[in-house]
Amino acid sequence: MRRRPATTTPSCGRRTAGGTVDVGRDEAVFGPGHALVFPAGRPFVFEVEDVRQNLVHFDRRFLEGIAAEEHGGAAGAIVFDHTARPMTEDLRLWNAQVRRAAQVVLGATAPSPLVMAETARETALAMLRTFPHEQLAPEVPVPQGATSRVREAIEYMHAYAHAPITTTDVAEHVGLSVRGLQQAFQRQVGTAPNAVLRGIRMDRVREELSRGRPGELTVAVVAVRWGFAHLGRFSAAYAKRFGEYPRDTLHA
């Protein structure tokens, strides 16, 4: 028996035996040629016997960004049904993409960053098209009367809050100078664009904490993941925004 941390990882058995994932909970049995997604967001247990596995691991925020591009709208949490079996044709295409990706990553010569990025994107798309999932995209609140550029800027922040974007990136995306973006936000939103972006990321922290379980998730890990390195200031800002401390959200 092996215990693994929660990941978003399709797994495919290859020899003659098989195994069981999520032992004692929502068990899913797999065997040779059967791909499945490991449970995400919590620890789990799996048992295998005489089996070799090919594992593909995606960063959660990267996968959410690709899903937003594929489905449209803002990036949000993705929930996979690890007990569902993919369609035969989808599984064939997935296995073919994994083989292509392996040739790139494990080839004799090191691939360029551009090739690596495109390979990761194609593999992520193949996963999303193969394994049943639901995207929990957050609503994008836009102030009434906001111009198209301010709306576009806020939608861009929601879609790429997981990425290291800055006010400069947002301004370039909507075709404004940084000063022009700041002035537009002050007039129409009543606050600075970097404050809006921080608020969006804090909302994402709250989403994760509300879904997490004490002992399996910590406030520090989630806060740092969303760019809040100073935990004392973060905790105070969180309490001001939501009326409770982040640890209270997690334990609720």
Side-chain angles (χ1 to χ4, degrees):
M1 181 181 297
R2 299 178 183 177
R3 184 178 297 272
R4 295 277 188 175
T7 56
T8 302
T9 311
S11 166
C12 187
R14 283 299 182 189
R15 278 189 181 170
T16 57
T20 303
V21 174
D22 216 18
V23 176
R25 299 189 65 164
D26 300 322
E27 294 188 355
V29 178
F30 68 97
H34 174 209
L36 54 79
V37 178
F38 286 161
R42 58 177 171 79
F44 61 92
V45 174
F46 69 90
E47 297 176 343
V48 296
E49 181 178 354
D50 191 27
V51 65
R52 178 167 59 88
Q53 294 176 305
N54 297 324
L55 304 178
V56 180
H57 184 188
F58 289 101
D59 176 81
R60 178 187 57 78
R61 288 173 292 176
F62 169 77
L63 195 63
E64 288 176 0
I66 297 298
E69 295 178 12
E70 175 74 355
H71 302 310
I78 303 173
V79 179
F80 287 90
D81 182 357
H82 73 277
T83 65
R85 290 179 177 269
M87 301 292 289
T88 301
E89 178 60 17
D90 292 337
L91 185 57
R92 185 187 67 79
L93 295 174
W94 163 253
N95 286 331
Q97 176 58 37
V98 170
R99 286 194 294 270
R100 286 194 295 270
Q103 291 173 354
V104 171
V105 175
L106 304 177
T109 58
S112 69
L114 182 59
V115 170
M116 280 291 292
E118 185 61 22
T119 300
R121 183 177 183 279
E122 290 176 351
T123 308
L125 285 172
M127 178 183 177
L128 293 169
R129 293 166 182 171
T130 300
F131 299 96
H133 65 278
E134 179 183 4
Q135 184 183 20
L136 306 179
E139 295 182 357
V140 180
V142 179
Q144 187 175 5
T147 64
S148 58
R149 285 189 175 181
V150 170
R151 285 177 175 271
E152 185 180 359
I154 294 175
E155 290 171 354
Y156 179 78
M157 291 178 185
H158 276 273
Y160 293 94
H162 63 285
I165 61 171
T166 64
T167 299
T168 300
D169 298 316
V170 178
E172 290 179 353
H173 178 75
V174 300
L176 291 173
S177 66
V178 172
R179 182 171 177 79
L181 182 71
Q182 291 170 338
Q183 291 175 339
F185 266 70
Q186 288 292 351
R187 287 195 307 269
Q188 300 174 38
V189 183
T191 188
N194 62 343
V196 173
L197 182 56
R198 270 199 316 274
I200 291 171
R201 287 170 173 159
M202 197 169 292
D203 291 343
R204 299 294 176 84
V205 172
R206 184 173 177 81
E207 290 173 10
E208 285 201 34
L209 293 178
S210 64
R211 294 196 309 268
R213 297 183 182 182
E216 299 179 358
L217 194 69
T218 67
V219 171
V221 167
V222 179
V224 171
R225 180 182 297 149
W226 286 101
F228 299 98
H230 193 290
L231 297 181
R233 286 199 296 265
F234 161 75
S235 184
Y238 186 100
K240 182 177 180 180
R241 185 176 181 87
F242 301 115
E244 65 180 17
Y245 288 100
R247 63 175 180 272
D248 298 326
T249 303
L250 178 60
H251 285 82

